[in-house]
Amino acid sequence: MASGYVGILTVELHFPESGSLKGKRKHLKSAQARLRERFGASVAEVDHHDLWQRSRLTVACAARGHRELQEHLDAVVRYLGAQEFELLHAEREVVVPGE
């Protein structure tokens, strides 16, 4: 029996309206804070630090059940897709600790 599940979501974001790194960071900080508050997720910008219209984030969530985790990750993708920036790509991986 599984002892819980961890979902790892890697997303590519595009900020077409951003004209500077400062503008991109403003959007990213807001999105990261909301993902933490709303979904209890851990979030890190993992690539494209020096590009002002692009970012790659890794989002990690944990849940007791596999179905619950998939619903959680779906909600994160829907949330990111509904923002003023563009969600270009989302890739997910599910890890079962101890396996």
Side-chain angles (χ1 to χ4, degrees):
M1 167 138 301
S3 60
Y5 297 86
V6 177
I8 302 168
L9 187 65
T10 303
V11 296
E12 290 280 337
L13 304 176
H14 179 242
F15 302 87
E17 302 297 319
S18 180
S20 67
L21 284 174
K22 187 176 182 180
K24 177 183 99 167
R25 300 253 182 267
K26 177 184 160 201
H27 292 293
L28 276 180
K29 271 187 126 172
S30 175
Q32 289 173 319
R34 287 197 175 123
L35 288 170
R36 287 181 185 111
E37 293 167 8
R38 191 172 185 172
F39 300 102
S42 293
V43 186
E45 182 180 17
V46 296
D47 201 1
H48 310 306
H49 301 281
D50 57 346
L51 299 178
W52 47 271
Q53 286 192 323
R54 220 167 143 201
S55 182
R56 179 179 293 146
L57 298 180
T58 295
V59 181
C61 303
R64 187 177 352 181
H66 187 266
R67 180 184 223 176
E68 178 186 355
L69 179 64
Q70 291 294 351
E71 290 171 357
H72 208 64
L73 293 174
D74 289 343
V76 169
V77 169
R78 275 193 310 275
Y79 172 77
L80 289 172
Q83 300 306 305
E84 53 207 32
F85 47 81
E86 297 173 13
L87 174 62
L88 299 177
H89 178 74
E91 183 178 313
R92 65 176 71 191
E93 179 181 351
V94 175
V95 178
V96 181
E99 284 190 4

